[in-house]
Amino acid sequence: MLFAILFNFAGLGLFCWLLYALAVDALAFFAALSIAFAAFNAGAGVIGAVALALIAGVGVLTTIRIGVAATRSAPIRLAITLIYAIPAGVAGYQLSGAFAGLGGASGPWRDAMAFLGALAVAAAARTRLKAPPPDPAR
């Protein structure tokens, strides 16, 4: 019984972490999912659709990060950051609203929790985008 409870908490924690990670990278995930469905419907098969989805997701993340790193203009950097953070905020709003609804919160409280979740996920997306690349010497 104890192991079942521990595995249940571990599984729930892993599920929440996965949803949060997908919400932070919502733009890349949406691009990859769209490409995967389009490729599968065009007849690429499962392996081809997954391969194209991985290429699309990595391509979007790489393009966004290179765009932020290469641009010196503050308005352009802000625009690129908003392009990345707004879908993350929308995904965070939906995710937090769903979790608050599962917890039994009423309408206004659920909306307040969803708004706070949207702000947190959008801020995390912006912070992740602004993070310096890891030092290859370490």
Side-chain angles (χ1 to χ4, degrees):
M1 180 72 171
L2 177 65
F3 287 118
I5 292 172
L6 291 177
F7 283 138
N8 203 1
F9 278 128
L12 184 61
L14 181 66
F15 181 69
C16 289
W17 171 81
L18 178 64
L19 287 176
Y20 173 77
L22 289 176
V24 169
D25 292 325
L27 181 65
F29 180 71
F30 178 72
L33 200 62
S34 297
I35 294 295
F37 281 131
F40 186 75
N41 287 332
V46 174
I47 295 174
V50 169
L52 287 174
L54 287 172
I55 291 169
V58 169
V60 167
L61 282 176
T62 304
T63 302
I64 293 285
R65 290 191 178 181
I66 287 174
V68 168
T71 303
R72 299 274 183 218
S73 172
I76 295 175
R77 287 176 70 122
L78 178 65
I80 293 172
T81 303
L82 287 176
I83 288 172
Y84 185 73
I86 288 174
V90 171
Y93 182 86
Q94 297 295 325
L95 180 64
S96 299
F99 279 148
L102 285 175
S106 64
W109 283 107
R110 185 183 60 221
D111 290 340
M113 292 297 168
F115 182 72
L116 290 175
L119 288 178
V121 171
R126 183 182 180 280
T127 302
R128 185 177 290 182
L129 191 61
K130 292 287 195 172
D135 187 17
R138 288 186 174 182

